[in-house]
Amino acid sequence: MKVSLNWLRQYLDLELPPEGIGEVLTGTGLEVEGIDRVESIPGGLEGVVVGHVLSCGKHPGADRLSLTTVAIGQEQPVTIVCGAPNVAAGQHVLVATVGTTLYPTGGDPLTIKKGKIRGEVSEGMICAEDELGLGSDHAGIIVLDRPYAPGTPAAAVYALETDHVYEIGLTPNRSDATSHLGVAFDLAAALSVEAGERVTVHRPDTSAFTTGSAPAFPAQVVDPTQAPRYAGLVIENLTIAPSPDWLRNRLLAVGVRPINNVVDVTNFVLHELGQPLHAFDLDKIGGGRIIVEKLPAGTVFKSLDGVDRALSDDDLMICDGNHRPMCIAGVFGGADSGVTETTTRIFLESAHFDPGTTRRSSMRHTLRTDAARIFEKGSDPNICVYALERAALLLQEVAGGRAAGDILDLYPHPVMPLQVDVRYRRVTELIGVDLGRERIHTILQSMDMDIVHSDEQQFTVAVPTNKVDVTREVDVIEELLRVYGFNKIPEPDSIATVMVVAPYPDPNALRELIGDLLAANGFLEMMALSLSESRYYAERTGLVGINNTSNVHLDIMRPDLLLSALEAVRRNQAFSQRDLRLFEFGRSYHQDAEGGYREVNHLSLTLTGRRQPESWHTANDNNSDATFYTLKAAVELVLQRLGVDHYRTAEAPAPDFAYGLRYHQGPLELVDLGGVAGAKLRAGDIKVPVFYAEFNWDNVLRVLPKKPVPVVTPGRYPTVRRDLALVLDGSVTFAEVERLARKAEKNLLTAVDLFDVYRNEEQLGAGRKSYAVSFVFGSTERTLQDKEVDRAMRSIEQSLVKQLGAEVRR
């Protein structure tokens, strides 16, 4: 938000330099992100002075040039060659001295140098209007209508002002600071603390406003909850013209383009008071009245920018008596009802609209206007009429307008200032400093917060209706601290600390550990929004809905991380990034049948494209693309690094996966992994296979071993390998074979691997398969003897035959 210092000076007597005022504003929470020097005329006419033409004669070397001597306030007059036809002795003119940089209208900057023109010395330039950037006239030089002392700066002649504009990073909760007057109250409160006495804000005076004799223009608000207050006034006898310089300068300083005097006044009041106004051409309002209502979905509305917009049934519209839409309430006007050069009468609207409705319409139609930004923060309903009176007086001044009738004011349920009780003791406890009652009262009253009642223990403050975020005792105390100054709170002489034992397992440390592991294996970390769209989960129950006024489409908390991963794949592939290894630590959100909420921590892995970068020795490798087993290896790498090795597998759940596995320990689900189902890929416009794994990180932490993963020294003694060919039922998994083998031989068995699977119903029987399994035995203390290995193998064979019905092929 831009704030003009010259504008602020209309309400406050400020003696601090611009930089000092910026520091005060930042101290109150209105962070100044930058200060720009703004000049109404580029360059501020610096170096341009009043000159008195002492003599003027023909240039000896050019018929169309004149040779003049001009007094410019120096000891000696200067000689200037001038080509203007109207230059003459005795005139008071504007002279750009040597070294001055001019900014001509529509031209490039020009620096004046001393030189010779047709053999005669010229020490400056007598200027025309366009050469100084004051206009477009180049017919002749500017001749001042009254004498000034030679050397008088041109800026003084034209009463040019130099402004300083603050770029303020306004936080969303500061609805009270969306205007210059609101900022002035904060500034006054902070200066009151510095001065020790109340600094007064001079509000614009509207006591001269008078209404006309006609009744108020009729209007109807169909749903008062959508427009709690709707006010307006008919102003007639208007003459549409460019605004005066002072008004144009104010708007230009804050980045608003002047249009005409009527529209400029509405923009001026918006930035002055924080109350948006809208002017309708009265002669274009059909039906003799205004109706504030919502129209059927699909109704076409032509907005001020000439775009035909299809309305939603949630868009609040300002319509005429024939239900013709004229404006999206609080957002944007229409092309057929606005002020034009022929307008002589207007209906000036001043309203308070529902913040949520305004926000949704603004976002839906991508119309981020100044008015919408104010309404969505929560405008002040109690300044609507005051803003009308202020605008009416300004229109009387700049456009000759006058009120034609009474003020329309539909306000069925007036909003009263909230009264909050605050304990003096609590103020001291939270701030850490005893401000004293007098200072507390001074700060609050400087912010237009009146003290309704006070006693020895507490006080009651009336919170202005423009501070929608101040509703509790602690909020009032925050306002006091913000204005008093965080920097004024003394630092304690000592700081007490408490020894804290890190929990086991430490979730943060494990995230860092696994994040580093995955990054070392070529994965990139992604961070996605925790918000999603409910339309993607039409078949799922237990969704956690939210009221998202920033983006109405993102209306739920995500129930899983898969959609975020697919969106990342789609976006990367749109930029030709096709080989992806991604991981994300995030949360899913669920609602129980009883109405409770759960948040579950997850780790997701996503693979697509090649396993390794393309190169000459892999160009013809048909197995270079990532597969399910590439993902499975990554999943098991994570589990192995965490020391989680006792798990079982089951089929991965549909409909997210076309195929895959679920790793679990009893009822605890650890990770689901597999190839993403084709329907999911098609819905995300993804045309390549994607492999995805989602860890239930909370469950993984629950099954971590109680002791850290041991570090084992490589054995110094040789190992022994034995192989078995086992004929098994088709439902038996290798995990079951490995589990029984390790149970049968706990001391010597160091590795079990599956190196071949064979299926042939004619040779093995229906529903049977053959596993070729290797068993590796070893000891860290000695070399094993054959009889020890034979005994271990017999134990393993017996266990497999007995438990799994295995047949050992010899």
Side-chain angles (χ1 to χ4, degrees):
M1 184 182 79
K2 295 182 183 294
V3 174
S4 159
L5 177 55
N6 287 349
W7 207 333
L8 287 177
R9 292 187 192 276
Q10 294 181 206
Y11 318 118
L12 288 171
D13 299 324
L14 299 173
E15 298 179 357
L16 289 175
E19 292 76 14
I21 293 174
E23 292 176 3
V24 175
L25 289 173
T26 298
T28 65
L30 299 175
E31 183 180 358
V32 175
E33 299 175 343
I35 306 176
D36 293 327
R37 180 186 172 97
V38 176
E39 296 161 330
S40 54
I41 297 296
L45 298 184
E46 186 174 353
V48 180
V49 299
V50 173
H52 182 207
V53 182
L54 302 178
S55 65
C56 178
K58 290 291 186 181
H59 188 292
D63 293 338
R64 296 187 178 183
L65 298 180
S66 300
L67 186 61
T68 65
T69 57
V70 184
I72 59 172
Q74 300 176 358
E75 292 184 4
Q76 299 294 327
V78 296
T79 303
I80 297 178
V81 175
C82 180
N86 63 328
V87 64
Q91 295 173 334
H92 286 80
V93 295
L94 296 181
V95 178
T97 58
V98 174
T100 298
T101 299
L102 300 180
Y103 298 86
T105 301
D108 296 327
L110 170 68
T111 300
I112 304 302
K113 300 178 181 179
K114 180 179 179 179
K116 287 188 176 182
I117 300 178
R118 298 289 183 94
E120 297 295 332
V121 174
S122 184
E123 302 172 278
M125 184 171 78
I126 304 175
C127 300
E129 184 181 274
D130 66 329
E131 292 167 336
L132 295 176
L134 294 171
S136 57
D137 187 6
H138 192 69
I141 60 171
I142 296 174
V143 179
L144 300 177
D145 56 2
R146 63 187 182 91
Y148 290 85
T152 300
V157 174
Y158 285 93
L160 298 182
E161 64 176 28
T162 298
D163 199 357
H164 290 82
V165 176
Y166 302 99
E167 184 66 44
I168 293 179
L170 191 64
T171 53
N173 64 310
R174 294 301 307 277
S175 59
D176 60 315
T178 55
S179 65
H180 281 74
L181 196 62
V183 172
F185 275 109
D186 260 20
L187 190 54
L191 295 176
S192 296
V193 173
E194 297 291 338
E197 59 183 15
R198 182 173 179 180
V199 175
T200 304
V201 176
H202 308 294
R203 296 174 183 267
D205 183 15
T206 61
S207 59
F209 171 78
T210 57
T211 61
S213 57
F217 191 79
Q220 175 191 359
V221 177
V222 174
D223 183 0
T225 64
Q226 300 295 307
R229 189 173 193 181
Y230 191 82
L233 175 66
V234 172
I235 299 178
E236 61 183 7
N237 199 41
L238 292 166
T239 301
I240 307 300
S243 296
D245 289 342
W246 70 264
L247 179 52
R248 293 172 57 86
N249 290 342
R250 289 288 179 267
L251 296 179
L252 288 170
V254 295
V256 177
R257 179 176 61 88
I259 298 176
N260 59 53
N261 47 6
V262 173
V263 176
D264 292 350
V265 163
T266 64
N267 286 328
F268 178 87
V269 172
L270 180 148
H271 287 274
E272 179 183 55
L273 305 181
Q275 174 59 46
L277 304 175
H278 190 77
F280 298 94
D281 189 321
L282 187 64
D283 295 326
K284 297 177 182 177
I285 301 177
R289 64 173 181 152
I290 280 178
I291 303 175
V292 183
E293 61 181 343
K294 293 181 178 180
L295 297 176
T299 301
V300 177
F301 167 65
K302 188 172 186 178
S303 54
L304 192 59
D305 54 3
V307 176
D308 288 333
R309 302 180 184 274
L311 298 178
S312 162
D313 57 6
D314 188 44
D315 290 327
L316 185 65
M317 304 300 298
I318 311 299
C319 304
D320 65 12
N322 300 321
H323 302 280
R324 180 179 63 92
M326 300 188 296
C327 177
I328 303 177
V331 180
F332 208 51
D336 302 324
S337 61
V339 175
T340 65
E341 295 179 355
T342 61
T343 298
T344 59
R345 302 187 303 161
I346 63 170
F347 175 77
L348 188 60
E349 170 194 275
S350 179
H352 170 68
F353 297 114
D354 173 64
T357 302
T358 306
R359 172 77 176 183
R360 290 191 294 272
S361 292
S362 174
M363 297 299 296
R364 183 182 299 114
H365 298 289
T366 61
L367 293 170
R368 304 299 296 139
T369 60
D370 290 335
R373 290 187 178 94
I374 290 177
F375 280 126
E376 68 192 25
K377 291 179 185 292
S379 65
D380 183 1
N382 290 323
I383 65 167
C384 292
V385 171
Y386 175 60
L388 278 178
E389 294 173 351
R390 172 65 168 157
L393 290 174
L394 289 172
L395 288 172
Q396 180 179 325
E397 175 185 345
V398 305
R402 65 169 182 264
D406 201 358
I407 290 178
L408 164 74
D409 189 12
L410 303 179
Y411 197 14
H413 305 290
V415 179
M416 304 303 295
L418 180 67
Q419 295 190 4
V420 180
D421 295 330
V422 183
R423 295 162 290 175
Y424 292 109
R425 173 181 56 83
R426 190 59 175 158
V427 174
T428 303
E429 288 175 353
L430 291 183
I431 292 181
V433 174
D434 185 2
L435 298 182
R437 298 178 186 179
E438 185 177 348
R439 178 178 287 173
I440 289 174
H441 293 185
T442 298
I443 292 175
L444 293 175
Q445 289 168 351
S446 297
M447 289 191 292
D448 206 26
M449 301 173 71
D450 294 329
I451 306 299
V452 178
H453 169 76
S454 66
D455 56 32
E456 293 297 320
Q457 303 299 323
Q458 67 179 28
F459 63 92
T460 302
V461 61
V463 180
T465 49
N466 66 338
K467 292 181 178 291
V468 295
D469 64 318
V470 181
T471 59
R472 305 166 298 168
E473 178 185 53
V474 69
D475 297 329
V476 176
I477 296 174
E478 182 185 1
E479 291 291 286
L480 287 168
L481 175 58
R482 180 174 60 79
V483 172
Y484 176 72
F486 293 94
N487 295 333
K488 293 180 181 177
I489 306 301
E491 296 181 2
D493 296 330
S494 61
I495 299 177
T497 61
V498 178
M499 296 296 294
V500 178
V501 178
Y504 181 82
D506 185 345
N508 294 327
L510 288 177
R511 282 185 56 164
E512 292 293 329
L513 174 70
I514 298 304
D516 290 343
L517 174 70
L518 292 170
N521 282 272
F523 283 81
L524 298 176
E525 185 170 10
M526 59 172 279
M527 296 180 66
L529 286 175
S530 294
L531 307 179
S532 188
E533 300 184 39
S534 58
R535 62 189 180 93
Y536 296 132
Y537 302 96
E539 305 300 324
R540 186 173 298 189
T541 60
L543 300 178
V544 179
I546 58 172
N547 182 20
N548 184 2
T549 59
S550 299
N551 189 327
V552 294
H553 302 293
L554 300 175
D555 57 346
I556 62 167
M557 306 297 289
R558 61 180 177 179
D560 57 46
L561 277 62
L562 175 58
L563 192 65
S564 301
L566 295 180
E567 177 66 14
V569 170
R570 186 187 67 79
R571 287 182 176 274
N572 277 276
Q573 291 186 347
F575 291 96
S576 300
Q577 302 295 323
R578 302 187 181 281
D579 304 327
L580 301 174
R581 289 186 171 217
L582 306 174
F583 75 95
E584 180 188 10
F585 284 99
R587 292 179 179 179
S588 64
Y589 304 84
H590 312 271
Q591 184 175 8
D592 299 330
E594 296 78 15
Y597 295 95
R598 290 184 298 113
E599 295 184 20
V600 182
N601 290 288
H602 296 277
L603 164 64
S604 71
L605 306 182
T606 308
L607 288 176
T608 186
R610 292 177 174 270
R611 287 179 294 173
Q612 56 188 358
E614 185 178 10
S615 67
W616 64 272
H617 58 81
T618 62
N620 297 319
D621 184 2
N622 294 327
N623 297 317
S624 62
D625 287 341
T627 65
F628 166 77
Y629 296 101
T630 313
L631 176 65
K632 185 172 182 288
V635 168
E636 295 186 352
L637 177 66
V638 171
L639 295 175
Q640 181 184 18
R641 182 64 185 88
L642 294 173
V644 178
D645 53 6
H646 298 293
Y647 50 78
R648 307 191 74 174
T649 60
E651 185 177 353
D656 292 342
F657 297 105
Y659 57 88
L661 293 176
R662 166 172 285 175
Y663 289 15
H664 64 96
Q665 278 195 13
L668 291 181
E669 302 167 2
L670 301 182
V671 55
D672 292 335
L673 66 151
V676 179
K680 290 280 185 181
L681 298 179
R682 288 189 295 273
D685 195 26
I686 299 172
K687 299 179 176 60
V688 295
V690 176
F691 303 97
Y692 176 78
E694 186 168 293
F695 291 78
N696 185 317
W697 193 247
D698 293 329
N699 287 346
V700 170
L701 297 186
R702 290 188 181 99
V703 301
L704 287 182
K706 300 301 181 183
K707 296 181 180 180
V709 178
V711 178
V712 180
T713 304
R716 294 179 296 170
Y717 302 96
T719 58
V720 177
R721 169 174 167 163
R722 297 287 176 86
D723 295 342
L724 277 182
L726 302 169
V727 178
L728 300 159
D729 186 81
S731 63
V732 176
T733 64
F734 169 69
E736 294 176 287
V737 173
E738 181 181 14
R739 179 177 59 83
L740 290 174
R742 291 188 181 278
K743 184 177 180 181
E745 177 52 60
K746 299 179 180 178
N747 298 322
L748 303 181
L749 184 62
T750 61
V752 183
D753 288 305
L754 175 67
F755 62 89
D756 187 42
V757 178
Y758 177 70
R759 298 177 188 272
N760 189 315
E761 290 189 0
E762 294 182 0
Q763 298 180 6
L764 302 178
R768 307 279 285 174
K769 64 184 176 183
S770 175
Y771 274 176
V773 184
S774 67
F775 302 89
V776 179
F777 302 89
S779 172
T780 59
E781 300 175 350
R782 56 189 171 81
T783 300
L784 297 180
Q785 297 180 3
D786 286 344
K787 61 181 180 180
E788 294 179 286
V789 177
D790 292 341
R791 186 167 52 249
M793 284 297 299
R794 284 196 298 272
S795 177
I796 292 173
E797 288 182 25
Q798 291 172 1
S799 178
L800 296 177
V801 170
K802 182 178 180 180
Q803 299 291 331
L804 300 179
E807 177 186 340
V808 180
R809 299 176 65 191
R810 303 296 181 179

